[in-house]
PDB file of all heavy atoms in Angstrom:
ATOM      1  N   ASN V   1      84.042  83.670  99.941  1.00 97.00           N
ATOM      2  CA  ASN V   1      84.313  85.036  99.492  1.00 97.00           C
ATOM      3  C   ASN V   1      84.081  85.319  98.147  1.00 97.00           C
ATOM      4  O   ASN V   1      83.641  86.510  97.715  1.00 97.00           O
ATOM      5  CB  ASN V   1      85.928  85.432  99.845  1.00 97.00           C
ATOM      6  CG  ASN V   1      86.313  85.451 101.259  1.00 97.00           C
ATOM      7  OD1 ASN V   1      85.466  85.430 102.102  1.00 97.00           O
ATOM      8  ND2 ASN V   1      87.624  85.260 101.558  1.00 97.00           N
ATOM      9  N   GLU V   2      84.157  84.313  97.310  1.00 97.00           N
ATOM     10  CA  GLU V   2      83.922  84.399  95.865  1.00 97.00           C
ATOM     11  C   GLU V   2      82.458  84.022  95.479  1.00 97.00           C
ATOM     12  O   GLU V   2      82.013  84.050  94.351  1.00 97.00           O
ATOM     13  CB  GLU V   2      84.813  83.550  95.060  1.00 97.00           C
ATOM     14  CG  GLU V   2      86.326  84.024  95.198  1.00 97.00           C
ATOM     15  CD  GLU V   2      87.283  83.002  94.570  1.00 97.00           C
ATOM     16  OE1 GLU V   2      86.860  81.963  94.066  1.00 97.00           O
ATOM     17  OE2 GLU V   2      88.469  83.269  94.591  1.00 97.00           O
ATOM     18  N   ASN V   3      81.621  83.778  96.385  1.00 98.00           N
ATOM     19  CA  ASN V   3      80.184  83.377  96.363  1.00 98.00           C
ATOM     20  C   ASN V   3      80.142  82.121  95.386  1.00 98.00           C
ATOM     21  O   ASN V   3      79.169  82.037  94.587  1.00 98.00           O
ATOM     22  CB  ASN V   3      79.414  84.522  95.754  1.00 98.00           C
ATOM     23  CG  ASN V   3      79.271  85.644  96.692  1.00 98.00           C
ATOM     24  OD1 ASN V   3      79.026  85.475  97.849  1.00 98.00           O
ATOM     25  ND2 ASN V   3      79.401  86.802  96.205  1.00 98.00           N
ATOM     26  N   LYS V   4      80.993  81.212  95.424  1.00 98.00           N
ATOM     27  CA  LYS V   4      80.926  79.927  94.704  1.00 98.00           C
ATOM     28  C   LYS V   4      80.212  78.844  95.483  1.00 98.00           C
ATOM     29  O   LYS V   4      80.772  78.049  96.149  1.00 98.00           O
ATOM     30  CB  LYS V   4      82.320  79.493  94.349  1.00 98.00           C
ATOM     31  CG  LYS V   4      83.071  80.446  93.452  1.00 98.00           C
ATOM     32  CD  LYS V   4      84.575  79.997  93.286  1.00 98.00           C
ATOM     33  CE  LYS V   4      84.722  78.681  92.500  1.00 98.00           C
ATOM     34  NZ  LYS V   4      86.198  78.475  92.205  1.00 98.00           N
ATOM     35  N   PHE V   5      78.838  79.010  95.407  1.00 98.00           N
ATOM     36  CA  PHE V   5      78.029  78.138  96.197  1.00 98.00           C
ATOM     37  C   PHE V   5      77.331  76.997  95.237  1.00 98.00           C
ATOM     38  O   PHE V   5      77.159  77.251  94.115  1.00 98.00           O
ATOM     39  CB  PHE V   5      76.935  78.977  96.814  1.00 98.00           C
ATOM     40  CG  PHE V   5      77.498  80.034  97.681  1.00 98.00           C
ATOM     41  CD1 PHE V   5      76.923  81.288  97.719  1.00 98.00           C
ATOM     42  CD2 PHE V   5      78.546  79.799  98.642  1.00 98.00           C
ATOM     43  CE1 PHE V   5      77.443  82.322  98.507  1.00 98.00           C
ATOM     44  CE2 PHE V   5      79.018  80.685  99.431  1.00 98.00           C
ATOM     45  CZ  PHE V   5      78.534  81.957  99.441  1.00 98.00           C
ATOM     46  N   ALA V   6      77.010  75.966  95.974  1.00 98.00           N
ATOM     47  CA  ALA V   6      76.346  74.766  95.102  1.00 98.00           C
ATOM     48  C   ALA V   6      74.807  74.920  95.349  1.00 98.00           C
ATOM     49  O   ALA V   6      74.434  75.592  96.260  1.00 98.00           O
ATOM     50  CB  ALA V   6      76.835  73.426  95.731  1.00 98.00           C
ATOM     51  N   ASP V   7      74.081  74.295  94.504  1.00 98.00           N
ATOM     52  CA  ASP V   7      72.610  74.330  94.646  1.00 98.00           C
ATOM     53  C   ASP V   7      72.285  73.210  95.690  1.00 98.00           C
ATOM     54  O   ASP V   7      72.575  72.023  95.444  1.00 98.00           O
ATOM     55  CB  ASP V   7      72.003  74.035  93.274  1.00 98.00           C
ATOM     56  CG  ASP V   7      70.485  74.128  93.233  1.00 98.00           C
ATOM     57  OD1 ASP V   7      69.854  73.443  94.097  1.00 98.00           O
ATOM     58  OD2 ASP V   7      70.022  75.001  92.444  1.00 98.00           O
ATOM     59  N   VAL V   8      71.585  73.701  96.752  1.00 97.00           N
ATOM     60  CA  VAL V   8      71.323  72.789  97.856  1.00 97.00           C
ATOM     61  C   VAL V   8      70.400  71.621  97.387  1.00 97.00           C
ATOM     62  O   VAL V   8      70.526  70.465  97.800  1.00 97.00           O
ATOM     63  CB  VAL V   8      70.622  73.534  99.042  1.00 97.00           C
ATOM     64  CG1 VAL V   8      70.166  72.567 100.087  1.00 97.00           C
ATOM     65  CG2 VAL V   8      71.570  74.538  99.540  1.00 97.00           C
ATOM     66  N   ALA V   9      69.522  71.909  96.403  1.00 96.00           N
ATOM     67  CA  ALA V   9      68.575  70.933  95.861  1.00 96.00           C
ATOM     68  C   ALA V   9      69.067  69.886  94.955  1.00 96.00           C
ATOM     69  O   ALA V   9      68.865  68.750  94.983  1.00 96.00           O
ATOM     70  CB  ALA V   9      67.362  71.627  95.308  1.00 96.00           C
ATOM     71  N   TYR V  10      70.034  70.389  94.092  1.00 97.00           N
ATOM     72  CA  TYR V  10      70.554  69.519  93.072  1.00 97.00           C
ATOM     73  C   TYR V  10      72.049  69.022  93.186  1.00 97.00           C
ATOM     74  O   TYR V  10      72.489  68.351  92.275  1.00 97.00           O
ATOM     75  CB  TYR V  10      70.314  70.231  91.737  1.00 97.00           C
ATOM     76  CG  TYR V  10      68.865  70.543  91.404  1.00 97.00           C
ATOM     77  CD1 TYR V  10      68.353  71.816  91.593  1.00 97.00           C
ATOM     78  CD2 TYR V  10      68.062  69.480  90.979  1.00 97.00           C
ATOM     79  CE1 TYR V  10      66.979  72.031  91.348  1.00 97.00           C
ATOM     80  CE2 TYR V  10      66.716  69.745  90.692  1.00 97.00           C
ATOM     81  CZ  TYR V  10      66.185  71.049  90.959  1.00 97.00           C
ATOM     82  OH  TYR V  10      64.914  71.257  90.595  1.00 97.00           O
ATOM     83  N   ALA V  11      72.653  69.484  94.229  1.00 97.00           N
ATOM     84  CA  ALA V  11      74.137  68.989  94.360  1.00 97.00           C
ATOM     85  C   ALA V  11      74.175  67.517  94.537  1.00 97.00           C
ATOM     86  O   ALA V  11      73.451  66.903  95.244  1.00 97.00           O
ATOM     87  CB  ALA V  11      74.756  69.742  95.519  1.00 97.00           C
ATOM     88  N   THR V  12      75.076  66.920  93.800  1.00 97.00           N
ATOM     89  CA  THR V  12      75.279  65.456  93.877  1.00 97.00           C
ATOM     90  C   THR V  12      76.753  65.117  94.128  1.00 97.00           C
ATOM     91  O   THR V  12      77.653  65.954  93.704  1.00 97.00           O
ATOM     92  CB  THR V  12      74.892  64.767  92.572  1.00 97.00           C
ATOM     93  OG1 THR V  12      75.482  65.250  91.485  1.00 97.00           O
ATOM     94  CG2 THR V  12      73.406  64.937  92.419  1.00 97.00           C
ATOM     95  N   PRO V  13      77.133  63.984  94.588  1.00 96.00           N
ATOM     96  CA  PRO V  13      78.478  63.560  94.833  1.00 96.00           C
ATOM     97  C   PRO V  13      79.233  63.509  93.517  1.00 96.00           C
ATOM     98  O   PRO V  13      78.567  63.069  92.491  1.00 96.00           O
ATOM     99  CB  PRO V  13      78.420  62.255  95.548  1.00 96.00           C
ATOM    100  CG  PRO V  13      77.130  62.263  96.283  1.00 96.00           C
ATOM    101  CD  PRO V  13      76.240  62.931  95.267  1.00 96.00           C
ATOM    102  N   PHE V  14      80.402  63.810  93.450  1.00 96.00           N
ATOM    103  CA  PHE V  14      81.321  63.769  92.269  1.00 96.00           C
ATOM    104  C   PHE V  14      82.056  62.413  92.328  1.00 96.00           C
ATOM    105  O   PHE V  14      83.102  62.204  92.821  1.00 96.00           O
ATOM    106  CB  PHE V  14      82.363  64.896  92.166  1.00 96.00           C
ATOM    107  CG  PHE V  14      83.259  64.945  91.008  1.00 96.00           C
ATOM    108  CD1 PHE V  14      82.753  64.710  89.686  1.00 96.00           C
ATOM    109  CD2 PHE V  14      84.581  65.026  91.149  1.00 96.00           C
ATOM    110  CE1 PHE V  14      83.552  64.735  88.576  1.00 96.00           C
ATOM    111  CE2 PHE V  14      85.443  65.070  90.081  1.00 96.00           C
ATOM    112  CZ  PHE V  14      84.942  64.930  88.844  1.00 96.00           C
ATOM    113  N   TYR V  15      81.472  61.366  91.720  1.00 94.00           N
ATOM    114  CA  TYR V  15      81.979  60.056  91.909  1.00 94.00           C
ATOM    115  C   TYR V  15      83.114  59.753  90.963  1.00 94.00           C
ATOM    116  O   TYR V  15      84.067  58.925  91.192  1.00 94.00           O
ATOM    117  CB  TYR V  15      80.889  59.017  91.641  1.00 94.00           C
ATOM    118  CG  TYR V  15      79.839  58.929  92.697  1.00 94.00           C
ATOM    119  CD1 TYR V  15      78.411  58.978  92.379  1.00 94.00           C
ATOM    120  CD2 TYR V  15      80.147  58.802  94.052  1.00 94.00           C
ATOM    121  CE1 TYR V  15      77.446  58.900  93.307  1.00 94.00           C
ATOM    122  CE2 TYR V  15      79.112  58.820  95.120  1.00 94.00           C
ATOM    123  CZ  TYR V  15      77.874  58.734  94.676  1.00 94.00           C
ATOM    124  OH  TYR V  15      76.879  58.728  95.635  1.00 94.00           O
ATOM    125  N   LEU V  16      83.105  60.398  89.822  1.00 86.00           N
ATOM    126  CA  LEU V  16      84.000  60.101  88.669  1.00 86.00           C
ATOM    127  C   LEU V  16      83.691  58.878  87.942  1.00 86.00           C
ATOM    128  O   LEU V  16      83.832  58.778  86.685  1.00 86.00           O
ATOM    129  CB  LEU V  16      85.459  60.058  89.079  1.00 86.00           C
ATOM    130  CG  LEU V  16      86.316  61.434  88.963  1.00 86.00           C
ATOM    131  CD1 LEU V  16      87.790  61.186  89.290  1.00 86.00           C
ATOM    132  CD2 LEU V  16      86.179  61.865  87.585  1.00 86.00           C
ATOM    133  N   LYS V  17      83.237  57.880  88.623  1.00 78.00           N
ATOM    134  CA  LYS V  17      82.828  56.566  88.073  1.00 78.00           C
ATOM    135  C   LYS V  17      81.471  56.097  88.582  1.00 78.00           C
ATOM    136  O   LYS V  17      81.270  56.386  89.772  1.00 78.00           O
ATOM    137  CB  LYS V  17      83.873  55.419  88.223  1.00 78.00           C
ATOM    138  CG  LYS V  17      85.090  55.582  87.300  1.00 78.00           C
ATOM    139  CD  LYS V  17      86.098  54.589  87.682  1.00 78.00           C
ATOM    140  CE  LYS V  17      85.499  53.177  87.364  1.00 78.00           C
ATOM    141  NZ  LYS V  17      86.545  52.106  87.645  1.00 78.00           N
ATOM    142  N   ASP V  18      80.719  55.463  87.815  1.00 62.00           N
ATOM    143  CA  ASP V  18      79.456  54.846  88.325  1.00 62.00           C
ATOM    144  C   ASP V  18      79.869  53.766  89.277  1.00 62.00           C
ATOM    145  O   ASP V  18      80.763  52.962  89.137  1.00 62.00           O
ATOM    146  CB  ASP V  18      78.573  54.188  87.186  1.00 62.00           C
ATOM    147  CG  ASP V  18      78.079  55.353  86.297  1.00 62.00           C
ATOM    148  OD1 ASP V  18      77.916  56.531  86.784  1.00 62.00           O
ATOM    149  OD2 ASP V  18      77.781  55.083  85.169  1.00 62.00           O
ATOM    150  N   TYR V  19      78.919  53.680  90.304  1.00 50.00           N
ATOM    151  CA  TYR V  19      79.133  52.591  91.340  1.00 50.00           C
ATOM    152  C   TYR V  19      78.887  51.251  90.768  1.00 50.00           C
ATOM    153  O   TYR V  19      77.898  51.029  90.020  1.00 50.00           O
ATOM    154  CB  TYR V  19      78.239  52.739  92.487  1.00 50.00           C
ATOM    155  CG  TYR V  19      78.284  51.690  93.603  1.00 50.00           C
ATOM    156  CD1 TYR V  19      79.399  51.465  94.356  1.00 50.00           C
ATOM    157  CD2 TYR V  19      77.218  50.795  93.744  1.00 50.00           C
ATOM    158  CE1 TYR V  19      79.418  50.564  95.306  1.00 50.00           C
ATOM    159  CE2 TYR V  19      77.286  49.867  94.671  1.00 50.00           C
ATOM    160  CZ  TYR V  19      78.444  49.676  95.478  1.00 50.00           C
ATOM    161  OH  TYR V  19      78.449  48.701  96.321  1.00 50.00           O
ATOM    162  N   GLN V  20      79.720  50.361  90.973  1.00 52.00           N
ATOM    163  CA  GLN V  20      79.591  49.037  90.450  1.00 52.00           C
ATOM    164  C   GLN V  20      79.468  47.983  91.658  1.00 52.00           C
ATOM    165  O   GLN V  20      80.517  47.665  92.341  1.00 52.00           O
ATOM    166  CB  GLN V  20      80.719  48.560  89.552  1.00 52.00           C
ATOM    167  CG  GLN V  20      80.782  49.280  88.305  1.00 52.00           C
ATOM    168  CD  GLN V  20      81.896  48.979  87.396  1.00 52.00           C
ATOM    169  OE1 GLN V  20      82.844  48.206  87.780  1.00 52.00           O
ATOM    170  NE2 GLN V  20      81.894  49.262  86.061  1.00 52.00           N
ATOM    171  N   ALA V  21      78.282  47.459  91.911  1.00 47.00           N
ATOM    172  CA  ALA V  21      78.193  46.485  93.032  1.00 47.00           C
ATOM    173  C   ALA V  21      78.791  45.110  92.595  1.00 47.00           C
ATOM    174  O   ALA V  21      78.759  44.718  91.429  1.00 47.00           O
ATOM    175  CB  ALA V  21      76.632  46.330  93.321  1.00 47.00           C
ATOM    176  N   THR V  22      79.307  44.463  93.625  1.00 48.00           N
ATOM    177  CA  THR V  22      79.896  43.199  93.471  1.00 48.00           C
ATOM    178  C   THR V  22      79.103  42.142  93.919  1.00 48.00           C
ATOM    179  O   THR V  22      78.324  42.283  94.918  1.00 48.00           O
ATOM    180  CB  THR V  22      81.319  43.029  93.978  1.00 48.00           C
ATOM    181  OG1 THR V  22      81.118  43.338  95.444  1.00 48.00           O
ATOM    182  CG2 THR V  22      82.285  44.128  93.332  1.00 48.00           C
ATOM    183  N   GLN V  23      78.917  40.931  93.299  1.00 53.00           N
ATOM    184  CA  GLN V  23      78.203  39.787  93.781  1.00 53.00           C
ATOM    185  C   GLN V  23      78.816  39.193  95.017  1.00 53.00           C
ATOM    186  O   GLN V  23      80.024  38.763  94.839  1.00 53.00           O
ATOM    187  CB  GLN V  23      78.041  38.793  92.646  1.00 53.00           C
ATOM    188  CG  GLN V  23      77.094  37.562  93.041  1.00 53.00           C
ATOM    189  CD  GLN V  23      75.582  38.043  93.060  1.00 53.00           C
ATOM    190  OE1 GLN V  23      75.264  39.030  92.423  1.00 53.00           O
ATOM    191  NE2 GLN V  23      74.897  37.335  93.826  1.00 53.00           N
ATOM    192  N   PRO V  24      78.259  39.078  96.014  1.00 50.00           N
ATOM    193  CA  PRO V  24      78.934  38.409  97.224  1.00 50.00           C
ATOM    194  C   PRO V  24      79.100  36.969  96.944  1.00 50.00           C
ATOM    195  O   PRO V  24      78.332  36.301  96.304  1.00 50.00           O
ATOM    196  CB  PRO V  24      77.895  38.674  98.418  1.00 50.00           C
ATOM    197  CG  PRO V  24      76.585  38.877  97.754  1.00 50.00           C
ATOM    198  CD  PRO V  24      76.887  39.573  96.427  1.00 50.00           C
TER     199      PRO V  24
END
């Protein structure tokens, strides 16, 4: 209703923190 839309091309997930892979 408020026309609060995201950009389809540039929308990215809001992770809050960078992903840190762990060594198996």
Side-chain angles (χ1 to χ4, degrees):
N1 293 343
E2 296 173 355
N3 293 318
K4 293 174 66 173
F5 303 133
D7 189 303
V8 175
Y10 296 104
T12 58
F14 180 51
Y15 292 129
L16 263 183
K17 286 179 61 178
D18 292 334
Y19 176 70
Q20 294 180 343
T22 56
Q23 184 72 27

